[in-house]
Amino acid sequence: MNKTTPISRGAAERLDHEDPLRNFGKQFITPTKSDLKSKTLTRSTQAEQDLQQCIYLCGNSLGLQPRRYSERINEHLQGWATKGVFGHFVKHEGTTLPPWLDIDDMAAEKMAPLVGALKQEVAIMETLTANLHLLMASFYRPTKEKYKIILEGKAFPSDHVCVALQNFVKSSALPTKLDLSSVLSCESLLDRHYASSLISPALKPNVVNFFSADHQQYAVYSQIRHHGLKPEDCMILIEPAKPSATITTEQILATIDQHASSIALVLLPGIQYYTGQLLDIKTITSYAHSKGLTIGWDLAHAVGNVELSLHEWEADFAAWCTYKYVNSGPGSIAGLFVHEKHGKVNEGTDTSGIQPYRPRLSGWWGGDKGVRFNMAPEFVPQPGAAGFQVGNPSALAITGLLASLEVFAETTMQTIRTKSIKITAFLERLLLENSKDENHRPYWIITPSDPSQRGAQLSVQLEPNMLDPVLEFLEEAGVVVDERKPDVIRVAPAPLYNSYVDVFDFVEIFKKACQNAKARKN
């Protein structure tokens, strides 16, 4: 396609016709415009569904529901209803689901290709933040000399900051009107970075900087406190060098060099949630290891989005959620990776009394499966990541995850990624072309333009005071994207269910939304 020629909707239709994943969208349920506006949960008629599907470009926040999801959940419920406790142990005909005792093993096997891991290096368990805590309990082992943690500083807000915010404000000499009891409504406070009516102007910049954090940072903060250390002494935050919105590999490596002698752990996001930047996981992991450092990865925005080779890259550990690009439902069960070198279980103890497996917070479900129900007093973990499991995982949640992993099993991450690179580049080109006055375009893309440095998402920053009217216009037109206050929308075409026509139509509507917002400002 000639880059100087404006793109037509017909060109988008041709790209869809050539797309090897073109039929996968039929395996997902896309809300209709009337579904989104309805005050009930009653679905639109089939005719309305065929004609009035919304444009859903929000898979980086919550993926769409696979059509087979309800079928698998109903199979699970039927098994529970008809077999009771025997559903744990007995395989039945007419279902693809294993006995509940083995369902986490099946999910780990099907998840492993998405992260480039051996089956035994993956466990399906808990939630993302809980898994980060469990992994740090094992891999963050501070000493007098090595106690610091490198992490990325500008990331996702969380209500876990309440206690940390109290400590911050109490230790601040700046004047404040903040009533700390109001932090009980912490989520709404954080969604807007701060509440103007609650925080004095002098304190705002400091609170905003403090809120530049994510579930990693809050988990790290509490882990450091748990070891009796001070976060301000231990946390090394890597932030973009202004005016850039992204951090460079060179910046990360330089930070590792600067602090290598005192670092106990490096913990970074595979993809930065705000900008959509994909970090060079392979290079950074290798460099950290060359300095003798342990490194883990938060892959919430990477799994199901980009190709990963965690085993080959020798990442020490990783954790991720499954409700974004993996489409397993809101708040669904998460996953973790532990490299095989850390998952070994030796028989007995040596003469020095060293534990025969890596220290961890243990739970009965992580125990040797052959003797799990013997309830012996001594804990012997399963080899591999499964030995890091704690409690009995939800078979219901894993059933939903399996429904989505069945869809992934019908293609490859290479195929998904190939389309992702093309469709996101298509989105980028449409956003940047055909503007009547390119020098006065009221938005710009803060995601790297290099496809190797991003996943599916493009983060689009708007001129001040445009976000609310743009979102209002998009929602009225049946377009679903993600917003980040005060002025960013995150647009993520998911290769499994989004089409090039989706992207074309979105950009047409988005540009009209910007024109409308500009007119309202003037």
Side-chain angles (χ1 to χ4, degrees), residues 158-167 180 183-184 186-187 190:
S158 162
D159 59 1
H160 295 180
V161 80
C162 292
V163 174
L165 176 61
Q166 290 181 355
N167 291 335
L180 290 177
V183 180
L184 291 174
C186 199
E187 184 173 359
L190 293 175

Side-chain angles (χ1 to χ4, degrees), residues 369-479:
K369 201 169 181 179
V371 296
R372 179 182 286 161
F373 290 93
N374 292 352
M375 305 299 179
E378 182 179 354
F379 175 77
V380 179
Q382 299 180 62
F388 285 76
Q389 292 175 297
V390 180
N392 187 351
S394 166
L396 179 64
I398 295 178
T399 297
L401 172 60
L402 285 172
S404 179
L405 292 176
E406 288 178 19
V407 179
F408 278 92
E410 295 178 12
T411 183
T412 65
M413 280 307 305
Q414 182 180 21
T415 302
I416 291 171
R417 177 62 171 155
T418 298
K419 176 181 175 180
S420 180
I421 290 172
K422 289 180 63 176
I423 198 170
T424 298
F426 185 72
L427 169 63
E428 180 182 40
R429 180 182 168 188
L430 287 171
L431 285 169
L432 298 180
E433 78 164 12
N434 295 345
S435 295
K436 292 181 179 179
D437 187 350
E438 293 189 5
N439 294 323
H440 294 85
R441 188 186 296 120
Y443 59 84
W444 55 96
I445 298 170
I446 61 175
T447 307
S449 59
D450 181 353
S452 70
Q453 295 183 41
R454 67 188 184 198
Q457 171 184 317
L458 291 185
S459 295
V460 181
Q461 187 165 358
L462 303 168
E463 288 183 355
N465 303 316
M466 284 186 57
L467 181 62
D468 287 342
V470 165
L471 287 174
E472 182 182 327
F473 193 100
L474 293 178
E475 290 172 9
E476 182 62 29
V479 175

Side-chain angles (χ1 to χ4, degrees), residues 109-168:
E109 182 176 6
K110 290 182 178 295
M111 178 67 76
L114 273 66
V115 297
L118 306 178
K119 172 192 171 183
Q120 62 267 28
E121 293 176 319
V122 175
I124 302 302
M125 54 186 279
E126 307 298 337
T127 60
L128 173 55
T129 303
N131 285 338
L132 285 172
H133 274 296
L134 290 168
L135 289 165
M136 280 190 285
S138 180
F139 287 91
Y140 177 54
R141 316 290 290 180
T143 66
K144 184 177 180 180
E145 294 77 23
K146 299 176 78 69
Y147 55 90
K148 295 179 181 178
I149 303 179
I150 292 178
L151 63 157
E152 183 256 341
K154 183 177 177 56
F156 189 78
S158 162
D159 59 1
H160 295 180
V161 80
C162 292
V163 174
L165 176 61
Q166 290 181 355
N167 291 335
F168 171 79

